[in-house]
Structures are given as structure tokens and as C-alpha cells.
Amino acid sequence: MNILQEDEKYPSVTTIGIGLTNRCNLNCDHCYSRKMAERSFSLEDAKKTLSAFPFLKSVNFGTGESILNNQFEEIVNLFHSKGIKLAITSNGLSVNKMKEKTLIKFDDADISIDFPVRELHDQWRKKDGLFDNAIKAIERCKKLNINASIVSVLMANNFDYFQ
């Protein structure tokens, strides 16, 4: 998959979001990427991205569960070696499965929680234990002094729970 042309440069862009993969450990009805063809961002794509965005200061890895990308650690190490601040958006899987030496390279983690009630969150995502897994990810980040935030998509069925 050719993401960028060799000669494209975007010097004014300093922050980007990258979907390292659209693979996930879940199959949520509300997920925008679950029906897409499976794709992964490669280490070669990362090198092209660094060339195209020469003043990059921060990157957020999101879309699927980033740890399911076979080159995840190599990509993280490459961006980190350039002094780029790293963030990740996860349902908790990537944060909980990541090696500590990799996780401490991240400045921020956004953990997806659809309902602030354990039973409703797990029911919505069709798997028991997901709420607790998300909380575990937040606690792991806090222990390692990584900023952790909860990210939610407000929908008609969960909006009232966040008021």
C-alpha cells in the first residue's frame, strides 16, 4: 500500500494520527473500521511518513489495536528515536499487552469506554471483562506516569450516562 509519494512534503504539519492497523480483538457494531479490508502500516510507511513530515512533533496511533501490527515495536522505536511524542488510543488491549519498555515511550494513552457502567460497557462491546480491562490500562499508565484519558463516542444510547 503506497500511502505517500516519495516527493510529497508537508512542513507545516506537526501532529498526525496513524492507524497502524484496523485489526482488533473485538468486533463492535459501532466500529467504523470493522468492515474494512484488513490493512497494516509498515515500518517502510513510517520511514516515508518521517520524510514527508519533516517537522513532526507528535503522533497518535489509533484505529484498530496497534499492538496487533506485526511491526508495532519497530515503528514505535523509530518515531521515539526522532524525539516525537507518542500517544495511543486503545480499548485497553494494546496498553495492557505492551512491554513496559515500549509503553514508557508513550506520553499519552486514550482508553475507549462507551459507558461509565461496567455491565453496560461490556454488553455494548459484547464481551465480559472489557470495562475492567480498560480500567486496568488506565491504572497501568498512571503507575508509569503516562497521561491517561477516557475517550468516548457519544451516541444516542450512551449520551445520558455521561451527563
Side-chain angles (χ1 to χ4, degrees):
M1 174 169 64
N2 188 8
I3 294 174
L4 298 168
Q5 300 300 320
E6 292 296 326
D7 58 348
E8 286 184 293
K9 300 280 184 206
Y10 303 94
S12 62
V13 176
T14 59
T15 301
I16 60 172
I18 298 174
L20 292 183
T21 183
N22 62 345
R23 292 179 57 211
C24 185
N25 59 317
L26 303 175
N27 190 21
C28 302
D29 289 335
H30 63 284
C31 182
Y32 62 88
S33 67
R34 72 186 191 111
K35 293 182 182 176
M36 295 167 53
E38 192 172 294
R39 304 244 172 156
S40 287
F41 190 82
S42 69
L43 183 59
E44 187 60 35
D45 293 330
K47 291 175 183 175
K48 288 178 185 177
T49 299
L50 287 170
S51 175
F53 299 96
F55 298 104
L56 200 57
K57 293 183 178 162
S58 63
V59 172
N60 178 281
F61 299 124
T63 305
E65 282 300 311
S66 296
I67 201 162
L68 298 176
N69 179 308
N70 294 334
Q71 295 183 306
F72 175 69
E73 285 195 31
E74 294 91 340
I75 293 168
V76 168
N77 290 337
L78 176 64
F79 282 102
H80 185 260
S81 73
K82 304 295 183 190
I84 296 169
K85 291 186 178 214
L86 301 176
I88 190 166
T89 302
S90 170
N91 64 30
L93 177 76
S94 292
V95 170
N96 288 327
K97 296 285 185 186
M98 206 181 308
K99 295 175 187 171
E100 187 171 306
K101 70 178 186 173
T102 304
L103 183 56
I104 61 174
K105 293 176 181 174
F106 284 83
D107 295 283
D108 295 286
D110 297 327
I111 308 301
S112 299
I113 294 182
D114 300 310
F115 288 87
V117 178
R118 174 182 285 106
E119 294 78 16
L120 294 175
H121 176 79
D122 289 357
Q123 180 183 358
W124 179 248
R125 294 218 170 196
K126 300 178 184 164
K127 189 171 181 181
D128 289 339
L130 293 178
F131 185 89
D132 291 337
N133 191 54
I135 298 301
K136 179 181 169 187
I138 292 167
E139 290 171 347
R140 186 171 189 221
C141 288
K142 286 176 69 175
K143 178 182 161 205
L144 296 172
N145 293 316
I146 298 166
N147 293 321
S149 302
I150 293 173
V151 61
S152 296
V153 175
L154 295 180
M155 301 170 278
N157 65 338
N158 70 354
F159 179 79
D160 289 337
Y161 291 91
F162 287 99
Q163 292 188 38

